């Protein structure tokens, strides 16, 4: 009997170890440099054989390149057997390497070719003195997604929030992503566990490249995030919320209808109207904001309608549509591939909101020219039609789609790409206050 117990214990420990190992993701490599393409002038002055390679404009202390003793001004031309052509070709190439990989670099310094051996350092992780930061992961079909969890220090069970990203491909796990850090600082600082899920192919996540990920795959990643969050020993499974931005406000009610949550927050999203209806009106609004003559707007709207029809209804390939109707090209530039948008276009958005039984907060920035205030008001109206009093709608002054501190839509449109824009994080205070209120009254 004693031997049987030992054997069962051994099997249990082995299975647990395998499960933990299956959930681990290797940390991505940290090159640690600001890169630029090699110019014709640099090629001539440094007497380089070609213009291929990347110019090291800045080398960060503690980075892989710094340990390998490469310097500002060096021209990196190869890593192992891979030639480096330019910055655009080099960045995806870096995804082949992980922390602790040993590689050989070929580079030029002052016109002379040199070689160096380098061990990739681990990409720096988010850190905080006031709360714990946990790097974990979830499996979503064939994708393995990085999760970053922040929790208050100490023992106990806390309310939790899953953040659902918007459309596009950008890593949440980067020092330059100020918003990702602001979310953790604000919500976790108020006593909540926060989970952020990296999109497939981004950061440490493995699987399909982000721009090739289907809408259904993306939804599944967040579904698995909620599933994992509810099982955590430090999470109160009855006090789990979802916080969706832009496209995240479309995904959140889908997940919440499958995995019940206490509440859903949506900001800068599309609601009761379907996607095609929203796209048509937004195209006209932005054309009018640009000062486009009204007769030209009519031409634009015809091209937009044609693009949406052949993409969404006829389900033709983007390149085939553009080849036959070149005027549709400006209306087919999406950060995700066509099938992703077709899936979104087929959704009954009102039905998804009606299917959930949760508290709902919808917030619209007054300077947000990407989404509509009336869509947010409509979400609240739809939810309240089935669950009276469950939904609240509010407008956030001095805030645009990206939480830039902008007073008007026109100003946001003109200045949104300025990296030095001040941010309006009052949204995070509104959200944390609302969540704590819902937790208190439960």
């Amino acid at each position: 009997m004693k031997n049987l117990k030992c054997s069962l214990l051994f099997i249990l420990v082995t299975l647990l170890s395998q499960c933990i190992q299956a959930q681990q993701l290797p940390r991505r490599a940290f090159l640690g440099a600001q890169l630029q393409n090699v110019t014709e002038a640099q090629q001539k002055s440094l007497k380089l054989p070609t213009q291929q390679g990347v110019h090291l404009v800045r080398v960060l202390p503690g980075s892989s390149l710094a340990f390998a003793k490469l310097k500002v001004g060096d021209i990196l031309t190869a890593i192992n057997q891979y030639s480096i052509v330019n910055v655009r070709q080099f960045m995806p190439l870096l995804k082949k390497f992980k922390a602790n990989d040993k590689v050989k670099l070929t580079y030029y310094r002052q016109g002379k070719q040199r070689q160096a051996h380098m061990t990739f350092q681990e990409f720096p992780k988010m850190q905080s003195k006031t709360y714990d930061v946990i790097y974990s992961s979830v499996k979503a079909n064939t994708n393995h997604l990085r999760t970053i969890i922040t929790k208050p220090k100490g023992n106990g069970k806390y309310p939790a929030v899953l953040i659902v990203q918007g459309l596009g491909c950008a890593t949440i796990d980067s020092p330059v992503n100020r918003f990702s850090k602001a979310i953790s600082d604000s919500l976790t600082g108020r006593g909540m566990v926060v989970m952020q899920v990296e999109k497939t192919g981004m950061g440490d996540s493995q699987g399909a490249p982000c721009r090739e990920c289907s809408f259904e795959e993306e939804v599944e990643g967040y579904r698995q995030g909620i599933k994992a969050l509810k099982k955590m020993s430090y999470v109160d499974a009855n006090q789990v919320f979802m916080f969706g931005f832009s496209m995240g406000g479309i995904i959140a009610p889908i997940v919440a209808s499958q995995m019940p949550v206490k509440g859903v927050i949506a900001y800068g999203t599309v609601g009761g109207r379907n996607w095609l209806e929203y796209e048509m009106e937004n195209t006209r609004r932005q054309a009018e904001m640009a000062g486009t003559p009204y007769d030209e707007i009519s031409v634009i709207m015809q091209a937009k309608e044609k693009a949406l029809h052949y993409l969404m209804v006829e389900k033709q390939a983007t390149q085939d549509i553009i080849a036959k109707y070149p005027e549709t090209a400006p209306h087919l530039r999406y950060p995700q591939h066509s099938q992703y948008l077709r899936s979104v276009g087929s959704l009954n958005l009102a039905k998804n909101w009606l299917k959930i039984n949760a508290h709902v907060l919808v917030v619209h920035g007054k300077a947000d020219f990407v989404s509509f205030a009336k869509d947010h008001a409509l979400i609240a109206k739809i939810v309240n039609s089935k669950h009276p009093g469950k939904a609240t709608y509010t407008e956030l002054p001095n805030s645009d789609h990206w939480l830039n501190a902008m007073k008007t839509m026109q100003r946001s449109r003109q200045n949104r790409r300025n990296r030095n824009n001040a941010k309006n994080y009052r949204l995070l205070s509104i959200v944390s206050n609302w969540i704590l209120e819902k937790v208190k009254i439960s």
Side-chain angles (χ1 to χ4, degrees):
M1 179 65 76
K2 184 176 180 180
N3 289 337
L4 177 60
K5 287 182 178 179
C6 289
S7 298
L8 289 172
L9 180 61
F10 175 77
I11 292 170
L12 180 61
V13 170
T14 301
L15 290 173
L16 180 61
S17 174
Q18 290 174 348
C19 180
I20 291 171
Q21 290 175 7
Q23 286 297 305
Q24 289 179 346
L25 267 176
R27 189 68 175 146
R28 74 187 190 271
F30 178 44
L31 186 70
Q34 182 181 347
L35 309 172
Q36 287 182 354
N37 291 333
V38 178
T39 65
E40 186 177 349
Q42 285 172 333
Q43 181 193 355
K44 289 180 180 178
S45 65
L46 297 174
K47 299 178 181 178
L48 303 175
T50 70
Q51 211 174 310
Q52 291 190 356
V54 290
H55 175 221
L56 305 186
V57 179
R58 184 185 176 198
V59 177
L60 299 177
S63 66
S64 307
L65 288 175
F67 280 116
K69 298 184 178 179
L70 268 73
K71 300 179 180 179
V72 170
D74 290 345
I75 308 294
L76 193 58
T77 58
I79 180 167
N80 285 351
Q81 74 273 26
Y82 302 105
S83 296
I84 300 171
V85 179
N86 52 35
V87 174
R88 185 174 183 179
Q89 173 263 353
F90 181 49
M91 296 309 292
L93 180 61
L94 280 175
K95 293 284 289 183
K96 293 180 178 291
F97 304 98
K98 301 298 179 186
N100 300 317
D101 283 353
K102 292 176 170 57
V103 297
K104 183 174 74 174
L105 304 177
T106 303
Y107 66 100
Y108 282 85
R109 179 175 292 170
Q110 296 177 344
K112 294 182 180 180
Q113 189 182 70
R114 300 188 179 194
Q115 290 187 331
H117 292 279
M118 181 180 79
T119 300
F120 272 113
Q121 304 299 303
E122 183 179 280
F123 197 91
K125 292 181 177 179
M126 181 190 294
Q127 295 181 340
S128 173
K129 293 180 180 179
T130 59
Y131 52 78
D132 296 330
V133 182
I134 302 162
Y135 277 69
S136 187
S137 64
V138 293
K139 292 283 189 69
N141 295 330
T142 58
N143 299 319
H144 197 177
L145 309 177
R146 165 67 68 212
T147 60
I148 304 176
I149 303 153
T150 55
K151 66 171 288 289
K153 290 184 178 293
N155 298 323
K157 287 185 176 289
Y158 303 94
V161 187
L162 175 72
I163 307 300
V164 189
Q165 297 183 62
L167 193 66
C169 298
T171 179
I172 58 170
D173 186 17
S174 169
V176 300
N177 192 327
R178 294 181 292 166
F179 185 45
S180 181
K181 181 69 162 53
I183 289 172
S184 298
D185 287 348
S186 179
L187 301 185
T188 308
R190 298 288 301 278
M192 303 169 212
V193 172
V194 175
M195 175 187 276
Q196 300 187 64
V197 181
E198 190 82 272
K199 292 191 178 187
T200 177
M202 301 305 299
D204 294 337
S205 290
Q206 298 175 352
C210 177
R211 295 186 188 280
E212 297 174 17
C213 177
S214 71
F215 179 76
E216 291 76 16
E217 284 179 295
E218 194 164 295
V219 171
E220 179 61 16
Y222 291 112
R223 196 180 76 84
Q224 292 300 326
I226 282 288
K227 187 177 179 181
L229 199 55
K230 287 188 170 188
K231 290 181 179 179
M232 291 174 183
S233 60
Y234 46 82
V235 167
D236 184 342
N238 296 315
Q239 304 290 350
V240 174
F241 296 78
M242 298 187 72
F243 187 179
F245 293 86
S246 196
M247 183 62 70
I250 291 176
I251 293 173
I254 297 174
V255 175
S257 68
Q258 302 165 348
M259 305 284 293
V261 296
K262 184 66 175 288
V264 176
I265 304 107
Y267 179 84
T269 193
V270 181
R273 297 189 296 167
N274 292 334
W275 184 260
L276 272 68
E277 189 180 354
Y278 153 77
E279 278 238 53
M280 289 297 292
E281 184 172 358
N282 198 36
T283 298
R284 172 171 286 278
R285 178 175 69 175
Q286 294 195 27
E288 289 179 350
M289 289 179 66
T292 308
Y294 286 103
D295 56 338
E296 291 183 26
I297 291 178
S298 293
V299 174
I300 290 170
M301 295 307 296
Q302 288 174 336
K304 181 71 175 186
E305 185 178 18
K306 192 178 293 182
L308 291 175
H309 174 79
Y310 286 108
L311 180 70
M312 304 285 196
V313 181
E314 300 292 337
K315 295 180 172 52
Q316 294 187 13
T318 300
Q319 62 270 24
D320 294 338
I321 301 170
I322 294 173
K324 192 172 182 180
Y325 306 104
E327 69 273 20
T328 63
H331 306 290
L332 293 170
R333 294 171 184 159
Y334 295 105
Q336 254 79 23
H337 65 83
S338 56
Q339 186 53 52
Y340 185 106
L341 270 299
R342 285 194 196 105
S343 295
V344 175
S346 68
L347 294 173
N348 183 329
L349 300 181
K351 185 177 180 179
N352 289 331
W353 283 108
L354 285 170
K355 286 169 70 175
I356 67 173
N357 182 16
H359 297 286
V360 172
L361 173 67
V362 277
V363 186
H364 179 257
K366 284 193 173 182
D368 183 352
F369 68 92
V370 176
S371 67
F372 290 86
K374 63 184 178 182
D375 278 330
H376 294 73
L378 183 56
I379 291 171
K381 185 177 181 180
I382 289 168
V383 172
N384 285 329
S385 71
K386 187 170 183 179
H387 304 286
K390 281 268 190 170
T392 302
Y393 157 64
T394 187
E395 280 281 298
L396 179 60
N398 197 36
S399 183
D400 70 1
H401 193 71
W402 304 272
L403 298 187
N404 294 315
M406 301 288 180
K407 291 185 177 181
T408 65
M409 294 183 186
Q410 190 66 47
R411 185 163 181 79
S412 172
R413 180 181 170 276
Q414 294 168 349
N415 298 282
R416 68 189 185 280
R417 300 190 189 281
N418 185 347
R419 292 185 178 181
N420 296 320
N421 284 330
K423 293 291 185 178
N424 179 0
Y425 289 139
R426 185 166 171 265
L427 171 66
L428 303 180
S429 297
I430 292 171
V431 167
S432 59
N433 288 338
W434 182 83
I435 289 175
L436 293 175
E437 175 190 312
K438 300 308 172 189
V439 169
K440 186 177 179 181
I441 64 176
S442 62

